[in-house]
């Protein structure tokens, strides 16, 4: 029998937030998947606008299972979902995300099984809040600087999430960045799925909370790199603002990738560092 896949979706007041149609699209497209063994698990944050009755209708039709109780944020909901999940493999989709390729889950599971992979990553369409759509192509060699791919375009082995003690919930905005960083440093086995199969909506939280995002980035860098290089506020500030890493630290981080990727790692690092520097200069000129 094919291993089960669990799709975890956190929800809160879908009706009040005008997300019923988006959620229906997510559910219907999951139902169209060619893969036969999918569990759709909804972790609801104690909705009080009729969402519970709305979800019950889907549950009674056999589309999903749901639990509803107050949570402390998205990553708390993810962790609860993993604990409830029956699947060998897990992916996380928000109510306004959807998988547009109906064979994707079948193909991803086969890829993971054949490669004994712990996680996958893939390109994805991102819908910007301003209305345009762009392709988010993965750049895993920049995973120590910024979020390297769309979390919605990743599948994870449940046992790996459990072994690594889930998402770190003290990071309210960027716990997925921290988690990806950790599993790369533990040298879990990734596999690239060379198909754009998912469309997701870019969240506003990070954009609207730049100071909080920067503070979390610094805390994540300190948490994961402090045994590799002596961290201080100046170093952390340059890393978070400009993706400027000390050379001694870079020489250690490159070892988490295959030897053949050494030049690619340093090239990608320098490219992103220059992009961040130029963006900072442009902001400074604009503000002046």
């Amino acid at each position: 029998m094919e291993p089960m896949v669990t799709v975890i979706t956190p929800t809160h007041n879908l009706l009040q937030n005008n997300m019923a149609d988006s959620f229906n699209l997510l559910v219907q497209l999951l139902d169209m998947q060619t893969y036969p063994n999918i569990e759709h698990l909804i972790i609801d944050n104690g909705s009080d606008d009729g969402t519970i009755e709305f979800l019950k209708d889907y549950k009674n039709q056999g589309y999903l299972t749901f639990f509803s109780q107050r949570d402390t944020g998205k990553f708390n909901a993810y962790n609860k979902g993993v604990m409830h999940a029956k699947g060998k493999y897990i992916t996380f989709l928000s109510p306004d995300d959807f998988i547009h390729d109906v064979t994707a889950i079948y193909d991803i599971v086969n890829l993971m099984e054949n490669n004994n992979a712990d996680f996958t990553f893939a390109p994805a369409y991102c819908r910007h809040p301003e209305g345009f759509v762009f392709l988010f192509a993965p750049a895993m060699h920049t995973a120590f600087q910024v979020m390297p791919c769309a979390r919605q375009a990743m599948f994870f082995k449940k046992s790996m999430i459990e072994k690594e003690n889930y998402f770190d919930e003290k990071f309210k905005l960027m716990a997925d960045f921290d988690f990806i960083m950790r599993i790369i440093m533990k040298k879990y086995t990734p596999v690239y799925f060379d198909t754009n199969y998912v469309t997701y909506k870019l969240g506003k939280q990070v954009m609207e909370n730049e100071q909080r995002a920067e503070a979390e980035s610094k805390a994540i860098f300190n948490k994961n790199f402090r045994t590799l290089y002596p961290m201080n506020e100046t170093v952390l500030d340059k890393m978070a603002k400009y993706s400027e890493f000390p050379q001694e630290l870079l020489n250690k981080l490159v070892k988490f990738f295959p030897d053949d990727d050494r030049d690619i790692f340093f090239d990608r690092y320098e490219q992103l560092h220059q992009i961040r520097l130029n963006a900072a200069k442009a902001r400074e000129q604009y503000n002046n």
Side-chain angles (χ1 to χ4, degrees), residues 86-102:
K86 298 175 183 176
K88 178 179 180 179
Y89 301 113
I90 291 175
T91 191
F92 302 92
L93 295 176
S94 297
D96 48 2
D97 304 332
F98 57 90
I99 297 179
H100 54 253
D101 183 337
V102 297

Side-chain angles (χ1 to χ4, degrees), residues 187-205:
K187 295 193 174 182
Y188 283 98
T189 303
V191 63
Y192 176 54
F193 183 61
D194 190 14
T195 301
N196 176 7
Y197 68 92
V198 67
T199 301
Y200 74 100
K201 188 172 183 180
L202 184 65
K204 295 182 179 180
Q205 279 193 314

Side-chain angles (χ1 to χ4, degrees), residues 71-284:
D71 60 50
T72 59
K74 176 173 66 178
F75 296 107
N76 178 238
Y78 287 175
N79 286 343
K80 287 180 180 179
V82 174
M83 292 174 192
H84 286 295
K86 298 175 183 176
K88 178 179 180 179
Y89 301 113
I90 291 175
T91 191
F92 302 92
L93 295 176
S94 297
D96 48 2
D97 304 332
F98 57 90
I99 297 179
H100 54 253
D101 183 337
V102 297
T103 67
I105 294 181
Y106 181 91
D107 294 336
I108 290 168
V109 172
N110 280 342
L111 184 68
M112 296 188 79
E113 291 285 293
N114 291 337
N115 290 274
N116 194 25
D118 296 304
F119 66 98
T120 63
F121 58 98
Y125 280 136
C126 177
R127 294 183 294 136
H128 195 277
E130 294 180 3
F132 61 90
V133 178
F134 65 92
L135 180 68
F136 187 172
M140 296 306 287
H141 294 93
T142 64
F144 297 133
Q145 297 168 275
V146 293
M147 188 71 175
C149 60
R151 179 239 318 134
Q152 296 87 343
M154 301 183 75
F155 274 61
F156 304 90
K157 193 176 282 185
K158 179 184 177 182
S159 59
M160 178 189 69
I161 299 175
E162 293 173 327
K163 187 174 180 180
E164 294 310 313
N165 202 26
Y166 303 87
F167 292 97
D168 189 338
E169 294 177 22
K170 70 174 174 283
F171 302 123
K172 301 300 182 184
L173 300 178
M174 304 181 69
D176 44 4
F177 177 42
D178 168 69
F179 186 78
I180 293 170
M181 193 180 293
R182 285 191 277 135
I183 61 178
I184 290 175
M185 294 180 77
K186 291 291 186 68
K187 295 193 174 182
Y188 283 98
T189 303
V191 63
Y192 176 54
F193 183 61
D194 190 14
T195 301
N196 176 7
Y197 68 92
V198 67
T199 301
Y200 74 100
K201 188 172 183 180
L202 184 65
K204 295 182 179 180
Q205 279 193 314
V206 172
M207 292 188 294
E208 294 176 349
N209 296 275
E210 288 187 15
Q211 289 185 329
R212 174 66 183 267
E214 186 175 301
E216 287 196 6
S217 293
K218 290 161 73 170
I220 290 168
F221 294 145
N222 187 56
K223 170 188 172 182
N224 290 292
F225 302 152
R226 62 191 175 199
T227 61
L228 301 177
Y229 186 85
M231 293 291 167
N232 59 48
E233 190 62 25
T234 300
V235 170
L236 290 169
D237 203 49
K238 290 181 178 179
M239 291 168 68
K241 282 186 168 68
Y242 313 118
S243 287
E244 182 177 331
F245 283 45
Q247 188 63 47
E248 183 181 337
L249 176 58
L250 286 173
N251 291 341
K252 293 179 179 179
L253 294 177
V254 71
K255 295 178 181 177
F256 294 108
F257 292 95
D259 290 342
D260 290 346
D261 288 3
R262 182 179 178 86
D263 290 342
I264 297 174
F265 174 85
F266 285 114
D267 285 346
R268 296 291 186 272
Y269 161 76
E270 188 57 37
Q271 288 172 13
L272 183 56
H273 174 42
Q274 289 301 320
I275 289 171
R276 297 288 295 276
L277 275 179
N278 293 337
K281 290 177 182 177
R283 281 197 303 270
E284 185 177 333

Side-chain angles (χ1 to χ4, degrees), residues 18-27 95-98 127:
N18 298 315
M19 297 183 70
D21 290 343
S22 296
F23 182 81
N24 182 65
L25 179 63
L26 165 64
V27 172
D96 48 2
D97 304 332
F98 57 90
R127 294 183 294 136

